[in-house]
C-alpha cells in the first residue's frame, strides 16, 4: 500500500498509532518490542518513498481494559496513562516523525462517548453530559501536557490538534435561528479555543453553568493548558449543517451529527451535503480567530464504487468532489489563509467508521472486500488515483 502511495507521489501520509499494539493493557511500563519495531518499519518505508508521516497519536482507540476498569477518559487516571504512552512516542520516533496530532476529532467524544472517549455514560455516577465533559477535560489536559513535553524535548516536532469541523448555517434569518447557530458553532470551536489559546472560553463556562454540567477540575489545569498550546490546527471537513431554534423541528441523526437538510446543496448517498464554499468559510474563520497555520487532514466523498470486469473503477463523482474542495482551498489561500497541508480521506478503501461497512468507499485505491469481509483484498487503482497523482505532481495547478 505504501508503494502505491509512492506511485501516486504522496508527500504526506496521515496514519495513527495503536496504543494497545505498544502497551496492550495501557498500564505497562515498557512497550512491546515488536510493536515498537513495527512503526519503525512503517516510517522507514514511508521515507523510502519520500513521504512525510503525519501521525495521530490516538484515533478512536484505547486499550479495552481501560474502558472496563476506568470507564475510559472519564477517569483522571487516564491522563497519566496516556501521557506515558504519548511521551514514549515522542522519545522513540522524534527523529522519524515531525508532525503529530494528539487526538483524532477530539470533539466527537461529545457525540459518541464510547467512540471518542472509550466510556459508557450509563456506567457513570455523573449525569451523561457531565460524564462526557469530564472526559473531554481530561483529554484536553493530557494533550497539553504532551504538547509541552514535545516542545521541551523535541523542538523540531510540530504538534497539532484535530476536531471534526461542523460548520453550521442558520435555518432562517430570524434572530433566534442566528443565535442558536452561533451557540452551536461556539460549542464546536471551544476545543480549538482551549488547545490554541490555552484557556476555557467564557461561553463554555456559561454553558456548564446553564446546563448543570459539573466537573472535577484537574489539578493546576489552567497553567497546564496555557503552557501546552498547539503549533497548528487541523480538522476534518465533510459537510455543513443547518440549525433551527424551533424545538418542534425534529432533526435527523446522520453519523452522530444532527442536521437539517440544506436545499441549496447536493447530498451524497449517505445524506452528507457537498459544500466546498463552507470549507473556504471554515478556513477563513479559523485563521481569523486563531492566527495559526491550518491543516485539512480529512476531506472526501463516501460513495458506492463499482469494480468493472477489467479492474477499473470510474469514480468521476469523487474527482468532482475533491476538485471543488481543492479549488476552495486555493481561494482561501488567496484570501491570505496559511494552509500548510491537505490529506484527503482516504488513501485506500477501508471500513467506514460511521456505518461499519466497506460499501461506503472513500479511497483512491479499491479494495476487493465486501461488508461481510469476503473478497480477494486485491488492490485496484481508481480513475481518481491517476487524477490525484496529476494533482500532486502539479501542486494543485492542474485539476482537469
Amino acid at each position: 500500500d505504501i508503494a502505491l502511495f509512492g506511485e501516486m507521489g504522496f508527500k504526506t501520509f496521515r496514519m495513527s498509532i495503536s496504543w494497545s499494539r505498544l502497551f496492550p493493557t495501557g498500564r505497562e511500563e515498557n512497550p512491546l518490542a515488536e510493536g515498537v519495531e513495527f512503526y519503525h518499519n512503517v516510517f522507514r518505508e514511508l521515507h523510502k518513498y519520500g513521504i512525510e508521516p503525519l501521525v495521530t497519536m490516538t484515533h478512536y482507540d484505547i486499550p479495552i481494559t481501560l474502558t472496563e476498569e476506568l470507564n475510559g477518559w472519564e477517569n483522571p487516571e487516564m491522563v497519566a496513562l496516556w501521557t506515558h504512552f504519548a511521551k514514549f512516542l515522542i522519545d522513540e520516533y522524534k527523529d522519524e516523525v515531525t508532525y503529530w496530532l494528539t487526538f483524532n476529532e477530539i470533539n466527537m467524544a461529545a457525540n459518541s462517548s464510547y467512540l471518542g472517549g472509550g466510556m459508557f455514560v450509563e456506567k457513570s455516577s455523573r449525569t451523561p453530559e457531565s460524564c462526557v465533559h469530564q472526559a473531554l477535560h481530561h483529554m484536553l489536559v493530557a494533550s497539553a501536557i504532551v504538547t509541552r513535553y514535545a516542545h521541551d524535548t523535541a523542538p523540531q516536532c510540530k504538534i497539532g490538534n484535530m476536531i471534526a469541523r461542523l460548520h453550521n448555517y442558520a435555518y432562517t434569518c430570524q434572530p433566534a435561528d442566528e443565535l442558536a447557530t452561533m451557540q452551536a458553532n461556539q460549542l464546536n470551536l471551544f476545543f480549538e479555543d482551549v488547545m490554541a489559546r490555552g484557556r476555557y472560553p467564557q461561553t463554555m463556562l456559561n454553558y456548564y453553568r446553564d446546563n448543570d454540567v459539573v466537573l472535577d477540575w484537574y489539578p493546576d489545569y489552567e497553567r497546564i493548558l496555557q503552557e501546552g498550546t498547539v503549533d497548528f490546527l487541523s480538522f476534518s471537513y465533510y459537510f455543513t449543517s443547518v440549525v433551527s431554534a424551533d424545538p418542534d423541528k425534529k432533526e435527523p441523526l446522520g453519523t452522530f451529527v444532527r442536521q437539517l437538510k440544506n436545499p441549496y446543496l447536493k447530498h451524497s448517498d449517505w445524506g452528507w451535503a457537498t459544500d466546498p464554499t463552507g470549507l473556504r468559510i471554515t478556513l477563513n474563520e479559523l485563521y481569523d480567530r486563531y492566527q495559526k497555520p491550518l491543516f485539512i487532514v480529512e476531506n472526501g466523498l463516501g460513495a458506492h464504487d463499482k469494480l468493472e470486469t477489467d479492474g477499473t473503477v470510474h469514480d468521476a463523482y469523487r474527482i468532482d468532489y475533491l476538485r471543488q474542495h481543492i479549488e476552495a482551498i486555493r481561494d482561501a489561500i488567496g484570501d491570505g489563509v496559511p494552509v500548510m497541508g491537505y490529506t484527503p480521506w482516504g488513501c485506500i478503501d477501508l471500513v467506514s467508521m460511521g456505518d461499519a461497512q466497506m460499501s461506503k468507499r472513500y479511497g483512491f485505491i479499491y479494495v476487493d472486500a465486501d461488508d461481510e469481509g469476503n473478497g480477494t483484498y486485491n488492490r485496484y487503482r481508481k480513475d481518481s488515483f491517476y487524477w490525484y497523482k496529476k494533482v500532486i505532481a502539479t501542486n494543485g495547478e492542474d485539476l482537469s
Side-chain angles (χ1 to χ4, degrees):
D1 291 332
I2 292 174
L4 285 168
F5 304 154
E7 180 184 333
M8 290 182 71
F10 268 42
K11 298 175 182 177
T12 304
F13 171 59
R14 179 171 174 239
M15 54 172 284
S16 59
I17 302 286
S18 173
W19 186 353
S20 56
R21 188 191 291 270
L22 299 177
F23 301 89
T25 70
R27 296 186 180 277
E28 292 82 0
E29 180 65 25
N30 299 309
L32 295 178
E34 298 90 340
V36 175
E37 187 60 22
F38 172 84
Y39 289 110
H40 279 302
N41 290 336
V42 172
F43 298 143
R44 276 194 290 266
E45 189 72 6
L46 288 168
H47 286 300
K48 184 174 80 175
Y49 289 96
I51 300 173
E52 183 82 30
L54 168 65
V55 177
T56 305
M57 294 176 175
T58 295
H59 191 137
Y60 290 156
D61 75 328
I62 67 173
I64 190 63
T65 52
L66 302 184
T67 291
E68 295 169 342
E69 297 172 4
L70 303 179
N71 202 29
W73 278 99
E74 182 192 11
N75 194 307
E77 188 180 343
M78 286 289 292
V79 175
L81 294 172
W82 186 84
T83 54
H84 175 68
F85 155 70
K87 287 178 179 180
F88 169 79
L89 298 183
I90 297 294
D91 292 342
E92 183 71 20
Y93 301 116
K94 62 187 176 184
D95 294 328
E96 298 165 274
V97 178
T98 300
Y99 300 98
W100 300 86
L101 308 177
T102 51
F103 291 97
N104 175 75
E105 295 184 330
I106 188 170
N107 53 322
M108 287 304 292
N111 300 67
S112 177
S113 59
Y114 179 72
L115 179 75
M119 61 188 172
F120 295 99
V121 295
E122 59 269 23
K123 292 185 178 181
S124 174
S125 60
R126 298 177 172 89
T127 66
E129 196 159 20
S130 293
C131 175
V132 164
H133 283 277
Q134 185 68 67
L136 288 167
H137 179 62
H138 294 150
M139 294 168 76
L140 290 166
V141 167
S143 178
I145 291 171
V146 170
T147 299
R148 170 65 188 272
Y149 180 80
H151 289 160
D152 289 344
T153 64
Q156 74 276 19
C157 291
K158 301 298 181 185
I159 313 298
N161 70 333
M162 185 196 171
I163 66 166
R165 175 58 176 149
L166 306 173
H167 183 72
N168 298 292
Y169 301 120
Y171 184 65
T172 72
C173 55
Q174 290 187 57
D177 282 352
E178 289 287 350
L179 178 62
T181 304
M182 180 192 75
Q183 291 170 337
N185 285 330
Q186 286 173 336
L187 283 175
N188 187 228
L189 289 175
F190 118 78
F191 304 89
E192 305 274 43
D193 288 341
V194 174
M195 302 177 87
R197 292 174 168 170
R199 63 183 183 273
Y200 274 75
Q202 187 62 44
T203 53
M204 203 62 201
L205 299 178
N206 294 344
Y207 180 86
Y208 291 162
R209 179 199 64 205
D210 297 340
N211 292 275
D212 296 322
V213 175
V214 179
L215 301 186
D216 295 325
W217 298 101
Y218 194 83
D220 207 18
Y221 78 95
E222 291 173 307
R223 178 191 60 80
I224 292 170
L225 296 178
Q226 194 64 54
E227 294 180 353
T229 56
V230 293
D231 301 302
F232 64 95
L233 306 178
S234 75
F235 59 93
S236 60
Y237 179 89
Y238 293 99
F239 58 84
T240 53
S241 299
V242 176
V243 172
S244 170
D246 185 350
D248 293 330
K249 293 192 181 301
K250 302 300 182 183
E251 301 172 343
L253 182 62
T255 314
F256 311 117
V257 179
R258 294 195 177 277
Q259 54 181 322
L260 294 172
K261 189 168 184 178
N262 190 328
Y264 300 100
L265 299 175
K266 295 181 179 179
H267 293 75
S268 73
D269 293 338
W270 278 265
W272 291 14
T274 299
D275 184 9
T277 301
L279 177 55
R280 182 180 181 181
I281 294 169
T282 283
L283 288 165
N284 274 272
E285 285 191 347
L286 292 181
Y287 185 62
D288 285 348
R289 189 178 180 101
Y290 301 108
Q291 299 291 299
K292 287 181 182 284
L294 303 176
F295 203 139
I296 304 111
V297 295
E298 286 186 32
N299 172 240
L301 177 69
H304 293 288
D305 293 339
K306 181 182 178 182
L307 179 65
E308 304 291 348
T309 55
D310 61 358
T312 59
V313 178
H314 304 304
D315 57 342
Y317 40 85
R318 179 168 294 107
I319 293 172
D320 186 53
Y321 177 98
L322 293 171
R323 179 189 294 114
Q324 292 181 57
H325 286 79
I326 294 171
E327 288 172 344
I329 296 168
R330 176 203 63 200
D331 293 340
I333 292 171
D335 296 333
V337 178
V339 180
M340 61 184 287
Y342 174 73
T343 53
W345 189 271
C347 311
I348 186 169
D349 289 346
L350 42 63
V351 177
S352 171
M353 177 275 292
D355 301 283
Q357 58 186 187
M358 281 293 296
S359 53
K360 186 181 184 183
R361 297 177 181 271
Y362 283 91
F364 300 111
I365 300 161
Y366 186 95
V367 178
D368 180 28
D370 64 18
D371 290 344
E372 306 304 319
N374 302 310
T376 65
Y377 286 83
N378 291 336
R379 274 59 165 157
Y380 299 90
R381 297 164 183 82
K382 303 179 187 179
D383 288 352
S384 59
F385 178 101
Y386 301 102
W387 174 81
Y388 199 62
K389 179 177 181 178
K390 178 179 60 177
V391 172
I392 296 173
T394 64
N395 197 30
E397 291 293 330
D398 187 353
L399 298 177
S400 61

